């Protein structure tokens, strides 16, 4: 399927309706990708997918999802979103473990925003069968 076809759909002979790729950087639409995790229809199968879905939750300011996927021992009482923050992209730089066969994993990433970027190595654990974010160390 071509990129144009996957990003546009026609409705009854009308002009194409743009369905953008997910903010996490994967080619699927938000609804097919991170949206299903945010809605609770599925859980992220790997630490990397959880990282991507959490990035999308920051883009969309989905506080409930961020808190739900944060380990209880390190979870803050609320998320303080910066008012003018505009996230512009996510780059996964590396992963260690974090698959269905592991109980822990790390994801190193660079999240870009208007005016800069954040480089972090995040730690994840499985809790009751689901991946959760534990904490992160800034890199550089």
């Amino acid at each position: 399927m071509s990129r144009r076809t996957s990003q546009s759909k026609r409705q009854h002979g009308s002009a194409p309706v743009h369905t953008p790729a997910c903010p996490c950087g994967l080619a699927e639409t938000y609804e097919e990708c991170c949206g299903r995790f945010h809605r609770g229809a599925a859980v992220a199968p790997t630490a990397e997918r959880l990282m991507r879905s959490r990035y999308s939750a920051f883009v969309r300011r989905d506080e409930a999802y961020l808190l739900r996927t944060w380990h209880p021992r390190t979870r803050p009482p609320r998320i303080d979103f910066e008012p003018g923050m505009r996230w512009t992209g996510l780059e996964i730089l590396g992963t260690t473990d974090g698959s269905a066969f592991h109980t822990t994993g790390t994801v190193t990433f660079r999240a870009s925003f208007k005016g800069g970027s954040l480089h972090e190595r995040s730690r994840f654990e499985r809790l009751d069968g689901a991946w959760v974010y534990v904490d992160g160390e800034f890199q550089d």
Side-chain angles (χ1 to χ4, degrees), residues 7 15 20 24-25 29 31 34 37 71 82 97 108-109 112 125 131:
Q7 289 186 352
C24 80
T29 66
E31 292 301 322
C34 294
F37 303 137
H71 198 292
E82 294 197 32
D97 298 335
T108 304
F109 67 93
S112 300
E125 291 180 11
W131 285 104

Side-chain angles (χ1 to χ4, degrees), residues 57-63 66 79-83 85 87:
F58 272 103
V59 169
R60 298 177 67 93
R61 297 177 181 257
D62 186 342
E63 180 180 32
L66 291 166
I79 307 292
D80 293 322
F81 295 105
E82 294 197 32
M85 179 67 79
W87 295 101

Side-chain angles (χ1 to χ4, degrees), residues 79-99:
I79 307 292
D80 293 322
F81 295 105
E82 294 197 32
M85 179 67 79
R86 181 171 171 252
W87 295 101
T88 58
L90 176 67
E91 179 184 6
I92 301 297
L93 303 172
T95 62
T96 304
D97 298 335
S99 77

Side-chain angles (χ1 to χ4, degrees), residues 1-130:
M1 179 179 290
S2 75
R3 181 176 172 91
R4 182 174 176 85
T5 304
S6 67
Q7 289 186 352
S8 299
K9 295 181 182 178
R10 294 192 181 271
Q11 294 179 339
H12 305 290
S14 64
V17 175
H18 183 67
T19 53
C22 189
C24 80
L26 297 179
E28 298 171 289
T29 66
Y30 166 76
E31 292 301 322
E32 295 167 337
C33 192
C34 294
R36 63 195 171 111
F37 303 137
H38 294 175
R39 289 188 312 274
V43 295
T46 65
E48 179 182 334
R49 287 303 294 257
L50 181 64
M51 172 58 233
R52 288 179 177 278
S53 70
R54 287 178 56 82
Y55 170 81
S56 290
F58 272 103
V59 169
R60 298 177 67 93
R61 297 177 181 257
D62 186 342
E63 180 180 32
Y65 181 76
L66 291 166
L67 292 174
R68 189 169 71 242
T69 58
W70 207 310
H71 198 292
R73 76 171 183 263
T74 58
R75 179 188 308 139
R78 68 179 186 286
I79 307 292
D80 293 322
F81 295 105
E82 294 197 32
M85 179 67 79
R86 181 171 171 252
W87 295 101
T88 58
L90 176 67
E91 179 184 6
I92 301 297
L93 303 172
T95 62
T96 304
D97 298 335
S99 77
F101 303 106
H102 300 106
T103 57
T104 62
T106 64
V107 178
T108 304
F109 67 93
R110 180 170 289 113
S112 300
F113 55 89
K114 189 171 183 171
S117 67
L118 172 101
H119 185 192
E120 179 178 310
R121 178 178 296 123
S122 295
R123 292 186 321 129
F124 298 87
E125 291 180 11
R126 281 162 83 69
L127 183 66
D128 298 327

